[in-house]
Every structure is written in structure tokens, then in C-alpha cells.
Amino acid sequence: MQSETAKIYLQHLLAESLSELKLTSLLDSDPQISVPDPKHGDFSTNVGLVLAKKLKENPAQVAEKLVAALKKYDTQGVFEEITPTGGFINFKLGAGFLVRNLAKILEQGELFGASISGGGRSVVVEYFQNNVAKPPHVGHLRSAVIGDCLLRVLKAQGYKTVSDTHIGDWGVQFGILLFAYKEYVKAGGKKELLEADPINELNKLYVAMSARIEAEPALREKGKEEFVKLEKGDTENRELWQWFVKVSLEDFERYRKLLQILPFDHNLGESFYEDKMPAVLEELKNKGLVQSGETGEQYVDLESFGLGRCILVKSDGGTTYHMRDFATYIYRRKEFEFYKNIYVVDNRQSHHFRQLFKVLELAGYPAGTDSAHVDLGFMSLPEGAISTRKGTTISLQNLIDEAQSRALAIIQEKNPELNNQQAVAKEVALAAIKYFDLSHNRKTEIVFTWDKALSFEGNTGPYLQYTHARIHGILRKAHQADPPWHPEQPLSGRAEAKISAPERALLGKLVLFPEVVAQVAEEYLPNLLCNYLFELSQAYNQFYEVSPVVQEPDLDTRHLRLAICQATAQVISNGLYLLGITAPEEM
Ligand code: ARG
């Protein structure tokens, strides 16, 4: 039993009991198991209610019958109470199981929470889709940290992950940038002057040109012409564009390292699909999906699905963002043989992805089930939308710098003796920034404010880091005590029956970590893990407030409590790792 989680054990119990009562065939899906308020138990199921409806019987009676069978099949005595309440059944784990789970955490260490449920199937995760020649801002951060977390969680669940950034490096905006650059050179500007800070300088040229186009829309045609030349392989434009891409990729890599997110397997930009689009268009035509519009554009009609028209080729012959995405899906499917293909992108593109998946389905691909838009609520500033063009933006660089200086000030005030203050300040700063994004349900719209994003108290990354570091302080004392404590020391000494309520609450929480990680992998919701870790830390602090640890005179109790401390620190550290946040042992 110890290799499977409590929830999986419970699933088996339910399956056996339902089968004995010949009720299995009445259910359309596996019984639902949820985690109730701890005062009702550790797990709960509504299956009695569901069955009662089908059987047209009294829910309480159905639940009672089930409980009798469940108790019989729980031969390992994992549950100390299985209680019917109405049509619901609540399950309370026994102390023996809780202590065995504690030993398991200490034994598995960093691996606790991992599983092989992914079975090596491949999942493509696309995130941090920066655009060439544009400095990334706080909005890009959201996709970066959520994508990085999902990648880590999927890896931990035994999936083979493939990460890709799908860099925005193609489209008319690069024609506009080329035009702006050429105008700059014509007016006497030098490339060398841009090279000192190419991304910001190129962005300035682009912003200035956009303003000119706004005043004089005909200028846009110049930009379009430059893009057509680029598409046709014009040498000068190609070389300039390659330079834009090169400096941008270097910049993205710098940010990736700064943010401490995992390296990407691929940086296949939109331009990578340039030569793959004609075949895709052919394929869609052959499947009879493409129509010609009034001005010569080619599109797929999705009116009957309430999705309008999906333009593939514009009236001037230019390909669209959609076309590149069709080519991307087909390429990934063939190249990576994915089981799932997910796009971590904000919800302003929801319509785009709905169209994308629908056209692919019409073309015979299972995109409705094998792909998902992991949509993010949009981040804005109190004064309105973030716009690089309008200059209302907070660059990632500023955000990180500001976070670091705030963290350093706090450390200098609270722990002036600490070594490596700069390094720890960086860890704390990143924790605050990342956790701010991770802890909101990804679908919510966020209004960015410095104080909220850089808060170090309450449900924040630094609070979890601090709880973790405090536990390590206690463990250090225990290691130095005479005789020193080792986590290998047996736990069996203390009578399980004497487990106190705060110990019980904390042990119960520790059991749930693997379940939460599995749920994050399934629903792509990192905030579930944040909430869990926050509740775990609170349960720990409640335990610690009333339970002496190093000072506890009874040896067996002291050992049990130290093991609880060690396991809690381990789970916080494992959880933070999955969030992409470090867990310093001292801060
Ligand atoms: N670069 C795009 C943008 O900034 C986002 C790309 C999203 N991914 C995709 N496969 N379409 O809007």
C-alpha cells in the first residue's frame, strides 16, 4: 500500500465495494473523491447520493450499505473512521497510516510527490512567447512562470515534456521595424549606437514608427512592402532580421536565467513554419475547407460554430498568424508524437485558439482533445492596459531590480547577521514575484501593483521560504544536540493513539501533497499547489506554537515531532521546487 497514495487506495476500496454490491454498472464514471473540510475527515465521496438517484432509494441507506462493504475491504486498516452522512461518506485516516506516511516522506525525500502516472507520454508545453525586438514585461512573466511550473509538475508526474517558446519573429511588424530602421540610418543613425542596448533601441524605433503610422496611415504600406521583401528573401532585409532575432534570443536567454526557469528544449519561432505553410494550405484545400472571399482572401468558414471566419491568406497574399499555428500543430504532432499539446497564453487569444482547434478538427485532427489553451487572465496596471507601444509598461528588468532591493532591505533589518545577503535577497525577490503570478487562479485578471507583487507576508512565496528556513533552524539545533538527532531514528516508539490534534492536522495535510501535484498536472492550475503549501505552513505554525520540539523531554515524542518538522520542510521544499522557487535553509 505504501507505494500508492491514500486516494488511489481509496479508489480501489470503492471499486471493490461497488462491485461486491453489484452497483458498478450503474455509474457513468469513477466515483468522485474530494477533500472536505478537515473537521469532516480526510476524504469524502458523494457516490451514495449518485447511486441513490439511480436506484431511487434513500441516499442514507445506500451510503450505509456501502460503508459496511468499505470497512470489510479496508483490510490494512488505513481508515479509522468511515462515516455515512446523508448520501455522503467521509473517511478519516488512522494514526498508523499517518505515521507510516511520515516515514515514507523521510525515505523518499525529494521524490515524495512524484509519480509515474504520465507513463512517459509526451506533452508539448508552449510558454514565454516573447516577441523579437520587444523587451519582455510583467505580462510575459505570467506565461513564463506558469509554463515553467507546469513543465516541472508534468515531469514529476512521469510525462516526457517538450518545451517550446514559439517566439514571435514573423509578421508585418518586422516590415515596420525594417522600415523604421532604414529611416533611422537614412537620417544618419548608426547601427553601432543601437548595439549597446539593441532590444530597447529597436523597440524605440518601432514605437516611434507606430506613432508616425497612426498619424499618417499610408506609411504602413512601406512597412508591408518591407515585410514582403523579407518573405521573398531580400538579402539586406534577411540579414537585418537575422540580427534582430539573434540579439533578441540572447536577451530572452538572459531573462530565462535571471528568472531561474528551466532551459527550453526548443525556440521554434513563427518563422520556422514559413516553408511549411504551403503544404498545410494545400492539405486544407484538399479537404475542401477553404473558401475565397470578396477581396481574394482565403478562409475557413466557421460561422455555423459561432466562430466567424478564420483567415488563412490575406487579400495581399500574406499568410496569417493562424496559418503559422496550423503548421505548428501539424509539425509538433509529427515530430513529438504528443499526447497533449498545451499553449500557455493570455485569454485575449481565446478566440484564436478556438478557431485553430476547430479548423484542425474539421481537417480530421483530434485537436479538441489533445490540445488545450491554458488561458491566463490578462494583467494590467492600475492606470490601464500594459502597452509597450504607449510606454505604459513595467519591464521585467525593473521588476526584478526593485524586488531585489526591497528584499535586501528587509533582510538587513530582520537578520543583519546573515551570510550571503545579496544571494538570499535574490531568492526571496524571485519567490515574491513568481508566487504572485502562481498563486492567483490563472484565469483571473490581475491588476499589478508593486506592493501586492512584492509582498513578503501572508500567502506569499517569501512566507513559505521563511517557514521552511525556520524549520531548518530547528533541525540544525537537533542535529547539534547531545545525543544528536537523525531522521533515520525509528518513529514507532510513541503510542499512535496519543497523537495531538495539531500533530494530526499537520500529518493529514502531508498525506495530500501527491494528490495536489497530480491535480495540478491534470487541471493546469498552479494556484492549487500554492494554496496547499500555504495551508501546510499554517498547519505547521499552529503545531509549532503549542508543541515543544527540541525542548520536549519525552524522547519518543521529541523524535516524532522532529520527524514531522523534517517531513514538513521536505514537502515545502519539494512544492516550492515545482513552483520554480528555491528553498534556502537560512534567511
Ligand atoms: N507571440 C504571440 C503574441 O505575443 C503569442 C504566441 C502564442 N502562441 C501561439 N502558438 N499562437 O501575441
Side-chain angles (χ1 to χ4, degrees), residues 136-432:
H137 56 62
V138 288
H140 294 105
L141 184 66
R142 207 165 184 201
S143 168
V145 299
I146 291 175
D148 185 57
C149 169
L150 295 179
L151 195 79
R152 289 165 188 260
V153 166
L154 289 163
K155 279 181 194 293
Q157 292 296 291
Y159 290 97
K160 176 176 174 294
T161 58
V162 180
S163 58
D164 185 15
T165 50
H166 202 72
I167 301 273
D169 63 356
W170 208 242
V172 176
Q173 65 271 37
F174 296 99
I176 294 174
L177 181 60
L178 284 164
F179 177 54
Y181 177 84
K182 288 179 182 179
E183 291 280 287
Y184 160 80
V185 173
K186 240 195 245 165
K190 297 246 177 319
K191 187 179 175 192
E192 296 74 63
L193 285 178
L194 304 180
E195 268 165 352
D197 186 9
I199 306 304
N200 284 316
E201 293 301 328
L202 287 171
N203 184 50
K204 273 188 215 155
L205 291 182
Y206 181 79
V207 170
M209 182 53 76
S210 303
R212 273 181 68 189
I213 291 176
E214 212 154 284
E216 195 186 330
L219 275 182
R220 195 179 162 79
E221 294 310 312
K222 298 275 186 199
K224 281 191 181 170
E225 280 166 28
E226 294 295 345
F227 182 59
V228 172
K229 273 166 74 183
L230 176 65
E231 277 195 304
K232 293 208 166 122
D234 173 85
T235 319
E236 187 194 5
N237 281 11
R238 277 272 153 171
E239 276 172 10
L240 278 170
W241 172 80
Q242 273 157 1
W243 177 61
F244 302 158
V245 172
K246 178 175 161 281
V247 291
S248 301
L249 281 173
E250 284 164 8
D251 203 48
F252 302 152
E253 180 58 10
R254 189 173 64 81
Y255 278 111
R256 185 196 67 72
K257 286 192 179 142
L258 210 59
L259 289 171
Q260 298 179 5
I261 61 182
L262 295 176
F264 288 94
D265 298 312
H266 299 283
N267 273 304
L268 302 175
E270 291 183 35
S271 67
F272 176 78
Y273 301 97
E274 197 196 348
D275 62 356
K276 297 172 183 57
M277 286 187 280
V280 174
L281 185 61
E282 237 358 79
E283 180 181 336
L284 296 178
K285 278 185 181 162
N286 290 340
K287 290 180 173 162
L289 294 171
V290 182
Q291 302 187 26
S292 284
E294 298 73 18
T295 56
E297 76 277 18
Q298 300 182 52
Y299 67 93
V300 181
D301 184 0
L302 298 176
E303 291 294 353
S304 56
F305 306 100
L307 292 171
R309 285 182 179 187
C310 175
I311 312 281
L312 306 175
V313 182
K314 292 183 267 190
S315 41
D316 65 5
T319 54
T320 57
Y321 179 49
H322 265 118
M323 271 306 293
R324 294 190 280 282
D325 262 327
F326 292 124
T328 304
Y329 173 91
I330 292 169
Y331 174 83
R332 285 181 186 162
R333 189 175 152 80
K334 186 153 172 273
E335 191 66 22
F336 307 126
E337 297 178 331
F338 60 72
Y339 157 73
K340 283 263 158 38
N341 169 44
I342 64 176
Y343 304 80
V344 185
V345 181
D346 80 60
N347 61 19
R348 288 168 309 168
Q349 301 204 21
S350 295
H351 184 67
H352 168 81
F353 284 106
R354 265 184 229 124
Q355 289 192 324
L356 176 69
F357 300 154
K358 183 50 83 185
V359 172
L360 285 165
E361 285 208 306
L362 293 174
Y365 295 100
T369 46
D370 72 11
S371 293
H373 174 203
V374 175
D375 56 330
L376 313 180
F378 188 50
M379 187 182 274
S380 60
L381 301 175
E383 53 272 28
I386 298 175
S387 161
T388 326
R389 217 155 44 81
K390 298 200 182 105
T392 51
T393 179
I394 293 173
S395 80
L396 260 187
Q397 187 70 60
N398 284 353
L399 179 67
I400 295 170
D401 292 346
E402 176 71 22
Q404 218 161 314
S405 76
R406 290 193 191 198
L408 188 61
I410 294 180
I411 290 172
Q412 281 167 347
E413 184 201 316
K414 293 205 169 154
N415 192 357
E417 311 284 275
L418 183 72
N419 293 324
N420 312 320
Q421 293 190 355
Q422 289 283 355
V424 175
K426 191 173 163 202
E427 306 301 315
V428 174
L430 280 176

Side-chain angles (χ1 to χ4, degrees), residues 123-144:
V123 181
V124 177
V125 188
E126 186 211 288
Y127 56 103
F128 203 31
Q129 304 90 337
N130 279 298
N131 294 313
V132 159
K134 263 194 184 181
H137 56 62
V138 288
H140 294 105
L141 184 66
R142 207 165 184 201
S143 168

Side-chain angles (χ1 to χ4, degrees), residues 106 478-479 483-490 559 562 566:
L106 300 188
H479 290 309
W485 173 73
H486 297 293
E488 295 78 31
Q489 275 158 347
H559 282 173
L562 280 164
Q566 170 97 17

